[in-house]
Amino acid sequence: MVTNGKERRIMKINIRDLRESNEFLNILLDNVNSAIFLIDPTIRITSINDAFTSVFQNDRSNILGELCGNALGCSYSVEEGKNCGETSNCNKCEFRESLLGAFMQNIPVDRQSLTREYYIRGVKTTKYLQYSTRLIKFNGQEMALVIVDDITSLEEQRLVLAKQNEMLTDLNEQKNLFLGMAAHDLRNPIASIKGLSELMLEIHETLKPEETIEFLQMMNSASVHSLQLINDLLTISKIEAGKLDLKREKVNYVAFLKGILKVNQFFARNKQMTLYLHVDEKIPQIDIDKDKIGQVVDNLISNAIKYSFQGTNINIVVEFKNNQVITHIIDQGQGIPQNELPLIFQEFQKTSVRSTGGESSTGLGLAIAKKIVERHGGKISVHSEVGKGSDFFFSIPAELQFENQIHS
């Protein structure tokens, strides 16, 4: 057959166009972010683009001609020392099943999700991938074209957001529970004030002076409890919002405690109790917010007085261990059931133990104490046994500068 000049010219153009087209496709394939590779019927990789080496961090020399799982660094192949197709997971591997399905049944797969652990540069790494497969003809041979998108970064961000949403949901539920408890605890004293004031307005002309004083005392007690609860709520709110500023200063801790005990001795004497202070030979200075730590000590001592029987003793023990100043408030009270101890430092958690003098509680004091101590870098805990009393104790990191002791 004779080919004229015009036909030869067209053929040259077509061949040139074809070559340029192939070069364009190669450039395109090597510049997309998706890992693109070809698999032969034995599930060996025959061709890859540049993105493949970026996604799986492996050199071409270690990939071409290798079984898919081995080339990708499948954790099962690496850890079991077996070839792809022989590991304990191969018969459950959705990715392998998709590749085999492409050859055996010509079943395409579009953007299937895959979560798998691979060894990337020797480090076991979880990858979140999306892949698609197609059966194609390449150089006269059937091949599976595989396109893999690495969505690990997006998936990790999604998981972080999901975790944060879960935490926000929990916090919202806690907030609703918190507000419900606060409203419940505020309702009773406010209702008492309202009821007593209305009664006084109705019968004030018939009230004797001592009866008026008794009514006023009850109203005052209810208002004090309400104010204490509101102050505790505001304190909790500040701590949770990170707005509780600590005004730290170096403190002679033993002298500081002596001042607190003088105030609390008065409340103890009302129930025929005695407070005793026991101090190690050497107690170093501590760097604290005196008002906040004073609030912690006051709460623990007042609780010891509140839940102990008349005529018992309360021991305040201060010791220095492992660069921590540890303060114990030990009572001879009723003790707390073991099943109630894990929740005792949470908001609005009240034990089944009742005060011995009818004293009220907001259920927030120990929660606030825990947060204050932790803001100082310390810890608070309790040991208690029903019928034998309780030992509430907290630690504060110490300055390695010892002070003159003031013994009890």
Side-chain angles (χ1 to χ4, degrees), residues 212-226:
T212 300
I213 291 174
E214 184 179 357
F215 272 98
L216 291 173
Q217 286 175 336
M218 288 188 288
M219 292 168 63
N220 179 69
S221 177
S223 63
V224 167
H225 178 75
S226 298

Side-chain angles (χ1 to χ4, degrees), residues 240-272:
E240 293 293 350
K243 296 180 179 179
L244 185 70
D245 296 326
L246 299 181
K247 299 177 182 178
R248 289 176 177 267
E249 58 182 294
K250 288 183 174 60
V251 171
N252 182 314
Y253 188 58
V254 180
F256 168 71
L257 282 180
K258 292 281 285 186
I260 294 176
L261 262 61
K262 282 183 180 178
V263 176
N264 283 280
Q265 286 283 13
F266 170 78
F267 298 108
R269 281 197 297 269
N270 287 339
K271 294 182 74 171
Q272 289 81 54

Side-chain angles (χ1 to χ4, degrees), residues 6-280:
K6 185 178 179 180
E7 289 174 337
R8 282 197 300 271
R9 202 161 47 248
I10 293 172
M11 184 177 293
K12 287 179 180 178
I13 292 172
N14 289 340
I15 291 172
R16 185 187 65 200
D17 290 347
L18 181 60
R19 286 173 179 168
E20 290 178 353
S21 176
N22 286 337
E23 289 175 4
F24 172 76
L25 288 174
N26 288 332
I27 292 171
L28 180 64
L29 291 175
D30 286 336
N31 283 276
V32 297
N33 293 325
S34 300
I36 301 174
F37 53 104
L38 294 177
I39 300 286
D40 69 15
T42 65
I43 316 301
R44 292 181 184 274
I45 297 178
T46 63
S47 182
I48 63 173
N49 70 339
D50 287 346
F52 184 99
T53 59
S54 298
V55 172
F56 294 100
Q57 294 291 299
N58 205 346
D59 299 328
R60 289 177 180 271
S61 59
N62 298 326
I63 297 169
L64 298 178
E66 293 293 326
L67 290 166
C68 183
N70 301 87
L72 300 182
C74 172
S75 61
Y76 294 98
S77 294
V78 174
E79 293 173 359
E80 296 180 19
K82 295 180 179 180
N83 286 327
C84 177
E86 299 174 355
T87 75
S88 60
N89 187 67
C90 287
N91 63 340
K92 297 175 287 185
C93 178
E94 295 178 359
F95 186 49
R96 179 179 174 81
E97 184 179 343
S98 297
L99 297 176
L100 292 173
F103 286 108
M104 298 174 64
Q105 302 174 33
N106 193 12
I107 301 175
V109 170
D110 286 315
R111 300 187 68 78
Q112 184 73 30
S113 296
L114 175 67
T115 303
R116 180 66 59 79
E117 290 180 329
Y118 295 100
Y119 278 86
I120 308 295
R121 299 292 189 192
V123 178
K124 193 173 185 179
T125 307
T126 300
K127 285 280 191 182
Y128 297 92
L129 308 171
Q130 282 187 340
Y131 67 92
S132 302
T133 61
R134 288 288 187 280
L135 187 65
I136 65 170
K137 286 281 188 177
F138 183 74
N139 290 336
Q141 185 179 3
E142 286 188 340
M143 294 282 183
L145 173 67
V146 185
I147 302 173
V148 176
D149 290 305
D150 187 355
I151 58 170
T152 301
S153 179
L154 290 174
E155 184 64 17
E156 287 175 346
Q157 292 176 20
R158 187 193 69 79
L159 291 173
V160 169
L161 288 174
K163 185 67 176 177
Q164 291 175 342
N165 285 335
E166 183 181 342
M167 291 174 61
L168 288 172
T169 299
D170 290 341
L171 288 172
N172 189 55
E173 291 177 357
Q174 291 177 25
K175 179 206 70 175
N176 291 336
L177 180 63
F178 187 85
L179 291 175
M181 290 178 173
H184 178 270
D185 278 20
L186 277 172
R187 181 176 59 188
N188 290 338
I190 291 175
S192 296
I193 295 171
K194 180 177 182 293
L196 290 167
S197 61
E198 288 176 346
L199 182 60
M200 286 187 70
L201 289 171
E202 288 180 8
I203 64 172
H204 68 280
E205 293 180 352
T206 63
L207 286 176
K208 298 177 181 178
E210 61 269 21
E211 291 175 329
T212 300
I213 291 174
E214 184 179 357
F215 272 98
L216 291 173
Q217 286 175 336
M218 288 188 288
M219 292 168 63
N220 179 69
S221 177
S223 63
V224 167
H225 178 75
S226 298
L227 182 60
Q228 181 185 355
L229 177 56
I230 291 170
N231 287 334
D232 285 348
L233 287 170
L234 290 172
T235 302
I236 285 280
S237 177
K238 284 183 179 180
I239 295 173
E240 293 293 350
K243 296 180 179 179
L244 185 70
D245 296 326
L246 299 181
K247 299 177 182 178
R248 289 176 177 267
E249 58 182 294
K250 288 183 174 60
V251 171
N252 182 314
Y253 188 58
V254 180
F256 168 71
L257 282 180
K258 292 281 285 186
I260 294 176
L261 262 61
K262 282 183 180 178
V263 176
N264 283 280
Q265 286 283 13
F266 170 78
F267 298 108
R269 281 197 297 269
N270 287 339
K271 294 182 74 171
Q272 289 81 54
M273 297 178 185
T274 306
L275 304 180
Y276 292 99
L277 177 63
H278 310 272
V279 182
D280 274 358

